């Protein structure tokens, strides 16, 4: 069970703490437990209820009317709210509530609905990634456990692989060639899987090497495959003192190839980028680069 402070609820729901207190006092919306020092603490049910209430309020429902509804009536009203494909915030709230309930069926339903209405790529950008960012906040403050994260990442990984498998094949002789990999010890694969999908959807050819690959292996890969670019996402590794040696070795192994670095570890300000290296901060930056490369291929020399 979660053990949330009122500031946790504010961060996760977007509802100001003073509003939450007012809703408690006026409508009995939440029922926090107080510690020996009179500090409010909230459970998973409180957070789920608040997320659902925030969804309904965001769609114009009056709090006085919502407070009169049963839990079942609130859930039914929330499900009926998700007819607007562009209401991204409310979709994220619904996903968070389903995750906290470990409701795999509801998570799958909500994700499928977003994909159907927005298209796979836009659904991931506007709903999937904000959802993952919220999960990161919840993980950081210690209010979800690994099972919640694994449930979500497994579903998203499954959908990315299925969407990628459904794309038409691309000939390596008529397209830009990319190598995608994660270094030794790096297991956070979702961003790399999305890049794989985005490149293939734009007509690029991709050699996807996945997780936990020693950098030294890339020298032979480059000699045989002759890629236009090598891309990696550094989420948890390498450690700060090993980052510069890692990047330098990567560029030495692939001296005639553009090296693209992404992920939070790659943003370290002390990192000196070799001449053939590009650093990207956002996934949208990567999509812009992939689009530019597709356009440049279409323009006659």
């Amino acid at each position: 069970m979660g053990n949330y402070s009122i500031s946790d609820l504010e961060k996760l729901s977007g509802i100001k703490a003073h509003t939450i207190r007012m809703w408690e006092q006026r409508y009995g919306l939440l029922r926090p437990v107080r510690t020996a020092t009179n500090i409010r603490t909230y459970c998973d049910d409180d957070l789920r209820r608040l997320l659902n209430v925030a969804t309904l309020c965001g769609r114009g429902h009056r709090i006085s009317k919502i407070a009169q509804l049963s839990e079942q009536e609130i859930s039914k009203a929330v499900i009926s709210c998700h007819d607007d494909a562009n209401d991204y915030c409310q979709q994220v709230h619904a996903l968070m509530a389903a995750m906290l309930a470990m409701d795999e069926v509801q998570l799958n339903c909500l994700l499928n609905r977003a994909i159907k209405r927005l298209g796979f790529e836009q659904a991931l950008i506007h709903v999937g990634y904000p959802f993952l960012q919220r999960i990161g906040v919840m993980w950081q403050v210690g209010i979800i456990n690994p099972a919640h994260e694994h449930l979500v990442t497994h579903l998203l990984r499954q959908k990315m692989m299925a969407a990628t498998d459904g794309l038409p094949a691309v000939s390596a002789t008529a397209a830009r060639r990319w190598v995608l990999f994660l270094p030794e010890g790096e297991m956070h694969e979702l961003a790399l899987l999305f890049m794989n999908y985005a490149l293939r959807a734009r007509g690029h050819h991709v050699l996807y090497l996945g997780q936990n690959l020693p950098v030294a292996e890339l020298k032979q890969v480059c000699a045989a495959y002759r890629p236009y670019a090598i891309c990696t996402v550094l989420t948890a590794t390498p450690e700060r003192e090993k980052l510069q040696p890692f990047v330098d070795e990567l560029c030495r192994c692939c001296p005639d190839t553009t090296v693209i670095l992404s992920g939070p570890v790659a943003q370290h300000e002390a990192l000196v980028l070799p001449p053939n290296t590009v650093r990207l901060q956002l996934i949208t930056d990567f999509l812009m680069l992939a689009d530019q490369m597709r356009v440049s291929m279409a323009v006659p020399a």
Side-chain angles (χ1 to χ4, degrees):
M1 295 291 290
N3 185 23
Y4 310 97
S5 68
I6 197 166
S7 63
D8 292 333
L9 295 192
E10 181 178 36
K11 291 176 186 176
L12 296 169
S13 70
I15 304 297
K16 296 294 185 183
H18 68 84
T19 301
I20 296 172
R21 292 190 190 97
M22 182 183 69
W23 287 355
E24 286 176 17
Q25 295 166 4
R26 187 171 299 178
Y27 304 110
L29 191 70
L30 304 177
R31 295 176 176 82
V33 174
R34 292 184 179 268
T35 66
T37 54
N38 206 34
I39 296 174
R40 291 175 172 86
T41 62
Y42 302 82
C43 67
D44 288 336
D45 288 340
D46 292 322
L47 177 56
R48 280 196 296 271
R49 183 174 176 84
L50 184 61
L51 289 170
N52 286 333
V53 169
T55 296
L56 295 177
C57 287
R59 297 303 301 272
H61 294 258
R62 297 178 60 181
I63 183 62
S64 58
K65 298 295 183 183
I66 299 171
Q68 297 173 12
L69 300 177
S70 67
E71 290 295 332
Q72 187 176 5
E73 289 170 332
I74 289 176
S75 297
K76 186 176 180 180
V78 167
I79 291 172
S80 67
C81 272
H82 296 287
D83 294 330
D84 185 355
N86 296 315
D87 196 348
Y88 308 132
C89 182
Q90 307 311 327
Q91 293 180 65
V92 172
H93 279 167
L95 286 166
M96 289 172 62
M99 177 197 68
L100 288 167
M102 299 296 283
D103 190 341
E104 192 262 355
V105 172
Q106 178 73 342
L107 277 170
N108 202 43
C109 177
L110 291 166
L111 288 170
N112 285 343
R113 188 179 300 178
I115 291 167
K116 182 177 180 180
R117 293 175 176 175
L118 296 171
F120 183 78
E121 188 169 304
Q122 292 303 307
L124 264 290
I125 291 171
H126 294 297
V127 179
Y129 268 92
F131 180 36
L132 289 172
Q133 288 170 347
R134 291 290 188 93
I135 290 174
V137 172
M138 297 171 82
W139 175 266
Q140 187 173 355
V141 298
I143 54 180
I144 62 171
N145 62 48
H148 292 104
E149 183 189 17
H150 287 193
L151 172 64
V152 172
T153 54
H154 172 71
L155 278 176
L156 288 174
R157 185 177 187 275
Q158 194 174 44
K159 294 191 181 302
M160 288 187 198
M161 295 182 73
T164 303
D165 192 51
L167 294 172
V170 176
S171 171
T173 60
R176 295 238 189 229
R177 304 181 191 185
W178 295 67
V179 170
L180 302 185
F181 84 102
L182 296 179
E184 284 184 284
E186 182 61 79
M187 305 303 291
H188 294 80
E189 194 179 15
L190 286 184
L192 200 73
L193 284 169
F194 183 63
M195 291 174 172
N196 182 38
Y197 170 85
L199 288 170
R200 292 174 187 265
R202 287 161 173 76
H204 299 274
H205 192 275
V206 181
L207 193 63
Y208 190 85
L209 303 181
Q211 305 163 316
N212 200 32
L213 183 77
V215 172
E217 305 298 329
L218 290 170
K219 187 172 184 178
Q220 186 175 354
V221 171
C222 288
Y225 182 65
R226 301 182 63 82
Y228 161 76
I230 290 179
C231 182
T232 189
V233 182
L234 309 179
T235 302
T237 61
E239 298 171 2
R240 181 176 299 183
E241 63 273 12
K242 297 179 180 179
L243 176 60
Q244 190 70 56
F246 164 79
V247 172
D248 292 341
E249 182 185 4
L250 177 57
C251 293
R252 282 195 302 269
C253 288
C254 313
D256 301 320
T257 304
T258 300
V259 174
I260 298 172
L261 305 175
S262 184
V265 172
Q267 309 309 316
H268 194 273
E269 59 185 12
L271 177 62
V272 179
L273 298 178
N276 62 326
T277 306
V278 176
R279 174 165 52 189
L280 302 178
Q281 185 173 7
L282 304 173
I283 192 64
T284 48
D285 296 333
F286 179 83
L287 297 178
M288 288 178 60
L289 178 63
D291 284 332
Q292 291 168 2
M293 293 304 100
R294 179 173 58 178
V295 170
S296 67
M297 287 182 64
V299 176

